[in-house]
Amino acid sequence: SSLDLLDGTKAAIAAMGFETLTEIQARAIPPLMRGQDVLAQAKTGSGKTLAFLVPSVELLARAQWLPRNGTGMIAISPTRELALQIYGVLRELCAQHRQTHGLVIGGANRRAEADKLAKGVCHLVATPGRLLDHLTSTKGFHFDKLQVLAIDEADRILEIGFEEDMKAIVRCLPKAGRQTALFSATLPPWVRTVAPKFMRTEPQVVDLVGNSEHQASTDVRHVAIPAPGPVNQRADTINDVIAMFAGATGRSIIFCETRNECDELVNAEGL
């Protein structure tokens, strides 16, 4: 209620079960809704995803953005798993709005992605390599009116070797009128040096971590359970953890290091 949001956005947030803003949301959403560039550092699990998605959904909804206008927002994530997570939140936020959305990630069907982009996607979540591929070679993908570029886990994107891809992506995108939101769990000096290359103006810096050694939110419970052996042998342990913490009706996300491990776990008898 402290934010001047459209009824559709309020309804979507309420349906997601959120009643109050986290600190990163309270400090990052207002400047983003004013159109400022933002460079934000907040711990993992602190609500960063909503902090950059809410202003983007509001902006395009208030502009009555249509698929024929092209892509108005692009959110970039370093991994497919994080991109899927962001996209899930985006879909829920857009449930009460007439805005199309899409996901482009490595390993997915490129032709299906290209067909959807050509039809018009208002909000797009992507991994760097696949996004650059579409920017440079997908006919009918219109992004010349892009309003918002959101970069999540910026330190990880640059650490795992996507810096050159990111530079190429930014060169493809329009700079005039584009707002940039860069979020990260850590902001080492080299990230602060590189970040302005992706920004249009001097960013509003929101730092909720400072020199703290803890990157994960202290408001979220973290438990480490030793489970040696191959993935299929760990299925029983994983199943017990889900039963204990999620119960019969709760929802869970299980992250594996590789696609093969995901396949093994899905087919394991103990899960």
Side-chain angles (χ1 to χ4, degrees):
S1 61
S2 61
L3 299 174
D4 181 22
L5 302 178
L6 295 171
D7 290 341
T9 307
K10 290 180 181 178
I13 293 173
M16 295 166 71
F18 297 111
E19 297 180 354
T20 58
L21 297 172
T22 65
E23 187 175 3
I24 185 61
Q25 292 163 4
R27 293 183 56 183
I29 290 177
L32 285 172
M33 291 186 65
R34 291 194 298 268
Q36 293 178 255
D37 286 352
V38 168
L39 177 60
Q41 179 181 14
K43 296 178 180 179
T44 302
S46 60
K48 296 194 299 294
T49 303
L50 279 177
F52 62 79
L53 286 182
V54 168
S56 300
V57 170
E58 277 287 297
L59 173 65
L60 297 197
R62 290 175 184 274
Q64 298 183 335
W65 200 268
L66 298 172
R68 66 169 179 263
N69 298 127
T71 296
M73 186 280 288
I74 294 177
I76 303 176
S77 174
T79 67
R80 295 186 303 167
E81 292 78 14
L82 285 173
L84 285 164
Q85 187 175 344
I86 293 170
Y87 183 63
V89 176
L90 175 63
R91 283 192 304 179
E92 292 187 76
L93 268 182
C94 290
Q96 304 293 326
H97 294 295
R98 302 175 69 177
Q99 298 176 20
T100 56
H101 41 72
L103 175 70
V104 295
I105 55 176
N109 187 312
R110 190 196 179 286
R111 177 173 293 181
E113 292 176 350
D115 289 343
K116 189 169 185 177
L117 290 173
K119 292 177 182 177
V121 173
C122 300
H123 296 276
L124 182 65
V125 180
T127 50
R130 181 55 66 90
L131 174 61
L132 182 58
D133 181 16
H134 283 297
L135 289 173
T136 55
S137 60
T138 296
K139 294 181 179 180
F141 177 22
H142 298 294
F143 49 86
D144 55 301
K145 297 179 182 177
L146 185 72
Q147 301 295 297
V148 180
L149 173 64
I151 304 172
D152 192 26
E153 301 293 352
D155 54 343
R156 293 186 59 188
I157 287 179
L158 300 178
E159 278 180 353
I160 60 179
F162 282 121
E163 182 177 353
E164 292 306 313
D165 280 356
M166 288 301 302
K167 289 179 180 178
I169 287 169
V170 171
R171 285 195 295 269
C172 290
L173 299 176
K175 192 168 185 178
R178 189 196 76 219
Q179 181 183 30
T180 302
L182 192 153
F183 282 72
S184 186
T186 65
L187 285 178
W190 59 270
V191 172
R192 292 178 181 266
T193 300
V194 171
K197 298 178 182 178
F198 307 121
M199 303 281 185
R200 177 173 54 90
T201 61
E202 184 69 24
Q204 172 76 43
V205 177
V206 179
D207 188 353
L208 303 188
V209 178
N211 296 321
S212 173
E213 296 180 356
H214 304 288
Q215 296 180 23
S217 173
T218 54
D219 297 324
V220 177
R221 184 182 182 189
H222 298 82
V223 180
I225 301 174
V231 172
N232 59 348
Q233 293 181 17
R234 300 201 297 267
D236 288 329
T237 302
I238 295 171
N239 195 50
D240 290 341
V241 171
I242 293 174
M244 179 180 296
F245 291 100
T249 59
R251 295 185 293 179
S252 303
I253 300 177
I254 302 173
F255 294 99
C256 297
E257 189 171 357
T258 65
R259 179 190 294 184
N260 288 338
E261 288 189 355
C262 288
D263 292 337
E264 290 180 31
L265 188 58
V266 166
N267 296 317
E269 293 182 0
L271 190 62

